[in-house]
């Protein structure tokens, strides 16, 4: 079969070469990587030297160039998620990053430190849960897209046919992708969330599957990647597909989420919630149209559900989004604004039914994908709901789970699993599986983008908003605040390095990692801590008179408070900012070589 990769591999290592042996039945291929010249060739098993050190591996993630030279990244542990139409789906749970070089003596002390930092970045990305793969099935495409392919597409390797938006190791596989003869060693890996469950309702057994595919275009962390880029790629774009498999019939319902498709930013500055800023000089319509042109080509009609607040700091974004949709005047795009927090205040989450009822007719028109056991397509999904809030995490996931349940209700009734008049909400055992899976999906997407689990998952899991849920949301919000301000620069740099947005040049004498900190970065926090400590000491150790004590307390109190406000005023200088890629320049870059949208889309989808 062309559209498969080798499942069982052995890595044989010598000082000069890596030998990756295919151990599948009947296979004789060996991938040889020269550790000196970096040349990749295909050979046979008899060429493996007996002196090589051997270990089993489960896939090649790819190669990356750092200061010390090239590194090979391999999957060393995997966990079975389940079976998908007789195809096994795996989660990669551990990796190894192997240097081509036998020694680091050729590096200076500064280069050694930079290389160590870059390695830490790669290992950080690999430590984030959510890398999935299959050696026999194309996980990057929806059922509907796979049903509408040509024989030529079916003969392609998994790497060639994959949707590049969702191949997170696409950059790492660039050397292997250039040589078609070695494609069976090149394993496309998805980042996101997959869960699979065997369920039963009315004694009828079916498989229920949830897949979230996270885009590697404009990927990053919560506050450093917002809006769109000049190609129309939206931040935190995720395609979520819900699949049912019953008696050979397959049904699918697809939704998308993505940042508000304008040029805007929300840089961390030590404030709990930085004010979002809309770029005043960028051509918003250009990027906006590019985004939705591609979405319409790929998915069909777009029903936008904007869940941001319609007052306060989020209001200008809602207004600008609505204005853009109106100006575009496309019959393929509908816009619905639903102020989630206003409608559901005082824990009135039952009011979400207002939105579900409002879009019910549109959802029926969009329909879902359904194919019978013989492979005949009975219905196609004509478009998607594109939901967003500010982060496209918490509010978005709640709404997506409600819309997916409504679609699932219709699918199971049509397949004969549910009787006429039966409601999914009444199926207690399945409801528990369903709610927990969507809550787990929310947590996975949130950890990958914001660094913590999702908020509002108590409602997703139980259907109710609880006091404990509010407490947990508060705790997660505090952790998000810390990470967004003091560790997200490193996280953003790690993602940019992994995805190839930044390339290491060992000849560059000016390393971006060694940018010196301003003196105030160290001085002001020390002054604030000392002043606050002296204020407390003066309170505990009273002077000879109360006026003397009051004077000391006031002096040190004013000094600590004044320093605090100076730090807050200069907040952007104290946060952990990315050093490798300047996002502000990329956000509004409209010059240089740029693929035409229609050309790039048709290149990707010419076989559909």
């Amino acid at each position: 079969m062309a559209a498969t990769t080798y499942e069982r591999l052995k890595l044989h290592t010598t000082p000069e070469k890596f030998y990756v042996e295919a151990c599948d039945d009947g296979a004789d291929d060996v991938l040889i990587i020269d550790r000196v010249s970096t040349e990749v060739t295909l050979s046979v098993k008899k060429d493996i030297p007996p002196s090589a050190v051997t270990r089993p591996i489960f896939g090649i993630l790819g190669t990356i160039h750092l200061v010390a030279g090239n590194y090979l990244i391999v999957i060393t542990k995997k966990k079975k998620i389940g079976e998908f139409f007789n195809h096994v789906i795996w989660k990669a749970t551990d990796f190894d990053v192997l240097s081509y070089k036998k020694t680091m003596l050729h590096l200076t002390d500064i280069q050694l430190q930079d290389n160590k930092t870059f390695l830490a970045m790669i290992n950080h990305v690999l430590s984030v849960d959510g890398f999935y793969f299959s050696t026999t099935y194309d996980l990057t495409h929806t059922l509907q897209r796979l049903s509408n392919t040509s024989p030529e597409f079916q003969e392609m390797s998994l790497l060639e046919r994959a949707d590049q938006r969702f191949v997170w190791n696409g950059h790492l596989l660039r050397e292997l992708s250039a040589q078609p003869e070695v494609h069976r060693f090149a394993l496309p890996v998805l980042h996101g969330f997959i869960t699979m469950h065997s369920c039963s309702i009315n004694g009828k057994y079916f498989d229920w599957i949830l897949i979230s595919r996270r885009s590697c275009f404009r990927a990053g962390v919560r506050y450093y990647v917002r809006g769109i880029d000049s190609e129309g790629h939206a931040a935190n774009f995720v395609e979520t597909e819900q699949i049912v498999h019953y008696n050979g019939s397959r049904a699918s319902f697809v939704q998308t989420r993505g940042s508000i498709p304008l040029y805007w930013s929300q840089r961390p500055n030590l404030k709990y919630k930085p004010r979002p800023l809309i770029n005043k000089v960028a051509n918003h319509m250009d990027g906006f149209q590019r985004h939705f042109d591609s979405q319409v080509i790929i998915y069909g009609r777009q029903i936008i559900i904007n869940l941001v607040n319609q007052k306060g700091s989020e209001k200008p974004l809602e207004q600008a989004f609505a204005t853009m949709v109106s100006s575009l005047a496309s019959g393929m795009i509908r816009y619905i604004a639903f102020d989630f927090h206003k409608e559901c205040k005082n824990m009135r989450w039952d009011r979400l039914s207002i939105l579900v009822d409002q879009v019910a007719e549109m959802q029926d028109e969009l329909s879902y994908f359904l194919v019978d056991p013989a492979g005949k397509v009975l219905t196609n999904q004509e478009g998607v709901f594109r939901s967003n809030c500010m982060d496209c995490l918490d509010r978005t996931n709640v709404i997506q789970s409600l819309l997916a349940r409504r679609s699932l209700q219709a699918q199971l009734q049509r397949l004969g699993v549910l009787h006429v008049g039966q409601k999914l909400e009444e199926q207690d055992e399945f409801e528990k599986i369903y709610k927990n899976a969507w809550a787990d999906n929310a947590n996975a997407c949130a950890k990958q983008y914001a660094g913590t689990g999702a908020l509002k998952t108590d409602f997703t899991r139980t259907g109710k908003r609880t006091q404990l849920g509010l407490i947990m949301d508060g705790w997660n919000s505090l952790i998000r605040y810390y990470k967004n301000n003091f560790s997200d620069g490193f996280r953003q740099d790690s993602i940019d390095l992994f995805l190839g947005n930044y390339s290491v040049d060992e000849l560059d004498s000016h390393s971006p990692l060694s940018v010196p900190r301003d003196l105030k970065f160290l001085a002001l926090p020390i002054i604030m801590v000392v002043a606050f400590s002296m204020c407390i000491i003066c309170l505990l150790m009273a002077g000879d008179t109360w006026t003397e004590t009051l004077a000391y307390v006031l002096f040190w109190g004013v000094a600590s408070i004044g320093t605090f406000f100076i730090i807050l005023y200069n907040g952007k200088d104290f946060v952990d900012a990315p050093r490798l890629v300047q996002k502000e320049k990329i956000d509004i870059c409209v010059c240089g070589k740029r693929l035409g949208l229609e050309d790039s889309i048709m290149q990707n989808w010419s076989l559909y």
Side-chain angles (χ1 to χ4, degrees):
M1 290 179 64
T4 61
T5 59
Y6 290 120
E7 181 174 0
R8 293 185 293 119
L9 301 170
K10 285 183 181 177
L11 175 64
H12 308 273
T13 305
T14 69
E16 295 79 26
K17 295 178 181 179
F18 293 120
Y19 299 84
V20 182
E21 175 191 359
C23 299
D24 292 11
D25 293 340
D28 193 45
D29 287 345
V30 174
L31 182 75
I32 301 179
I33 302 174
D34 192 302
R35 297 175 67 175
V36 179
S37 69
T38 73
E39 184 183 8
V40 177
T41 55
L42 194 64
S43 188
V44 292
K45 293 183 180 181
K46 65 182 180 63
D47 292 334
I48 301 173
S51 61
V53 178
T54 302
R55 62 188 290 196
I57 60 172
F58 301 106
I60 298 174
L61 204 67
T63 62
I64 192 164
H65 186 80
L66 304 180
V67 179
N70 277 19
Y71 284 80
L72 174 67
I73 307 175
V74 295
I75 300 170
T76 56
K77 290 182 182 178
K78 63 180 181 178
K79 174 184 176 184
K80 184 176 178 179
I81 298 299
E83 292 195 14
F84 195 69
F85 316 138
N86 298 317
H87 300 277
V88 180
I89 310 302
W90 303 95
K91 177 192 279 189
T93 56
D94 204 3
F95 306 85
D96 210 349
V97 185
L98 307 169
S99 175
Y100 283 32
K101 301 292 184 182
K102 291 171 283 187
T103 176
M104 298 292 167
L105 294 177
H106 61 294
L107 300 181
T108 66
D109 289 344
I110 294 176
Q111 287 177 321
L112 273 172
Q113 185 57 48
D114 284 353
N115 196 69
K116 183 179 178 181
T117 302
F118 285 131
L119 272 174
M121 290 178 180
I122 295 300
N123 282 307
H124 172 78
V125 175
L126 297 175
S127 71
V128 177
D129 193 37
F131 289 100
Y132 299 87
F133 67 92
S134 172
T135 59
T136 60
Y137 186 81
D138 185 355
L139 284 172
T140 65
H141 290 293
T142 64
L143 290 187
Q144 182 163 321
R145 290 202 295 265
L146 288 175
S147 75
N148 185 29
T149 57
S150 66
E152 292 80 12
F153 179 89
Q154 300 292 341
E155 290 299 314
M156 287 181 173
S157 67
L158 285 179
L159 181 61
E160 288 175 301
R161 60 186 269 169
D163 187 334
Q164 295 304 309
R165 295 178 300 163
F166 306 124
V167 181
W168 264 66
N169 59 332
H171 170 69
L172 303 179
L173 290 175
R174 66 201 179 284
E175 292 183 3
L176 297 186
S177 65
Q179 298 178 235
E181 68 273 14
V182 303
H183 277 189
R184 291 198 68 182
F185 289 93
L187 184 67
V189 174
L190 186 82
H191 197 219
F193 177 77
I194 300 179
T195 188
M196 313 173 77
H197 296 274
S198 293
C199 308
S200 173
I201 295 178
N202 296 326
K204 297 175 181 179
Y205 291 87
F206 62 94
D207 293 324
W208 180 78
I209 301 143
L210 189 64
I211 303 177
S212 280
R213 305 174 176 96
R214 190 179 180 210
S215 175
C216 59
F217 298 144
R218 195 155 178 75
V221 298
R222 184 185 182 205
Y223 279 146
Y224 284 115
V225 178
R226 296 292 211 190
I228 52 173
D229 62 18
S230 59
E231 298 298 334
H233 301 306
N236 198 27
F237 184 86
V238 181
E239 174 189 272
T240 299
E241 182 178 21
Q242 176 180 263
I243 297 171
V244 174
H245 183 209
Y246 174 67
N247 277 355
S249 294
R250 305 172 187 181
S252 157
F253 180 66
V254 176
Q255 299 180 77
T256 62
R257 67 178 77 184
S259 190
I260 293 174
L262 305 168
Y263 295 107
W264 64 283
S265 59
Q266 195 176 11
R267 306 289 172 197
N269 57 7
L270 296 184
K271 294 179 181 177
Y272 177 72
K273 192 174 181 181
R275 180 172 290 275
L277 300 174
I278 300 175
N279 193 297
K280 295 181 179 179
V281 299
N283 183 346
H284 292 279
M285 181 54 77
D286 179 66
F288 185 88
Q289 186 164 2
R290 285 172 176 269
H291 175 75
F292 278 108
D293 280 352
S294 68
Q295 296 303 293
V296 168
I297 289 172
I298 296 169
Y299 298 106
R301 292 174 55 195
Q302 300 285 302
I303 309 297
I304 300 166
I305 300 180
N306 189 4
L307 303 168
V308 303
N309 299 342
Q310 294 177 28
K311 63 178 182 179
S313 62
E314 297 180 11
K315 180 180 179 180
L317 281 168
E318 191 281 318
Q319 291 178 327
F321 200 173
T323 300
M324 282 291 172
V325 175
S326 178
S327 300
L328 194 59
S330 169
M332 296 294 287
I333 302 173
R334 290 281 300 273
Y335 178 83
I336 296 162
F338 183 83
D339 191 328
F340 189 105
H341 288 147
K342 177 185 175 184
E343 296 292 343
C344 301
K345 67 180 179 181
N346 299 323
M347 298 177 69
R348 287 291 310 278
W349 285 50
D350 58 296
R351 290 178 57 80
L352 291 173
S353 61
I354 296 172
L355 175 60
V356 176
D357 292 341
Q358 183 181 351
V359 302
E361 186 177 340
M362 300 176 204
Q363 185 171 6
D364 292 340
E365 291 174 1
L366 295 183
S367 190
Y368 49 81
F369 175 73
L370 178 63
V371 61
D372 68 14
K376 180 182 178 182
V377 176
L378 302 179
T379 61
N380 278 307
Q381 186 172 336
E382 303 296 334
V384 295
F385 287 101
R386 185 204 187 276
S387 307
N388 73 270
C389 44
M390 291 296 285
D391 301 326
C392 308
L393 295 176
D394 312 316
R395 290 173 272 185
T396 294
N397 199 78
V398 169
I399 294 303
Q400 284 196 340
S401 69
L402 296 178
L403 295 175
R405 182 196 276 114
R406 189 175 182 278
S407 180
L408 186 60
Q409 170 85 33
Q411 293 168 16
L412 292 179
Q413 281 188 342
R414 182 163 181 174
L415 292 172
V417 174
L418 284 175
H419 301 322
V420 177
Q422 270 190 316
K423 298 292 184 184
L424 268 181
E425 292 88 336
E426 299 165 357
Q427 313 306 314
D428 294 340
E429 186 176 339
F430 177 76
E431 269 291 283
K432 185 177 180 181
I433 293 172
Y434 181 88
K435 289 176 178 177
N436 281 320
W438 272 96
D440 292 341
N441 178 66
N443 279 332
C445 292
K447 286 176 182 175
Q448 292 159 9
Y449 187 54
T452 73
L455 311 183
K456 304 174 176 66
T457 52
D458 56 328
F459 178 83
T460 312
R461 291 190 194 279
T462 67
K464 298 178 182 178
R465 200 72 167 105
T466 64
Q467 294 294 338
L468 179 60
L470 288 173
I471 294 171
M472 289 304 299
D473 283 358
W475 175 248
N476 276 329
S477 295
L478 286 175
I479 296 175
R480 278 188 188 181
Y481 172 81
Y482 175 82
K483 289 193 171 185
N484 295 160
N485 284 282
F486 304 114
S487 67
D488 270 4
F490 179 84
R491 289 178 62 222
Q492 183 63 54
D493 284 338
S494 301
I495 293 169
D496 283 328
L497 178 65
F498 188 88
L499 295 178
N501 298 330
Y502 176 83
S503 298
V504 175
D505 182 359
E506 68 269 29
L507 300 177
D508 189 354
S509 58
H510 302 288
S511 168
L513 299 176
S514 58
V515 177
R517 284 283 194 177
D518 192 284
L519 182 62
K520 65 184 176 185
F521 176 76
L522 295 173
L524 287 175
I526 292 173
I527 293 171
M528 185 182 74
V529 170
V530 170
F532 182 75
S533 301
M534 290 301 296
C535 182
I536 298 299
I537 291 171
C538 290
L539 280 172
L540 297 176
M541 302 176 63
D544 295 335
T545 64
W546 70 269
T547 53
E548 181 184 358
T549 301
L550 180 62
Y552 281 125
V553 170
L554 284 175
F555 174 79
W556 291 114
V558 168
S560 61
I561 293 171
T563 310
F564 171 77
F565 279 107
I566 292 173
I567 291 173
L568 201 61
Y569 181 77
N570 295 279
K572 287 186 177 181
D573 297 330
F574 289 88
V575 299
D576 178 40
R579 300 185 182 187
L580 301 185
V581 179
Q582 298 299 313
K583 292 294 175 187
E584 292 91 342
K585 294 177 182 177
I586 292 176
D587 290 345
I588 61 172
C589 178
V590 292
C591 59
K593 184 177 180 181
R594 203 165 61 173
L595 269 178
L597 181 81
E598 294 80 6
D599 292 341
S600 62
I601 290 296
M602 293 314 294
Q603 285 170 13
N604 291 336
W605 301 99
S606 59
L607 294 166
Y608 283 75

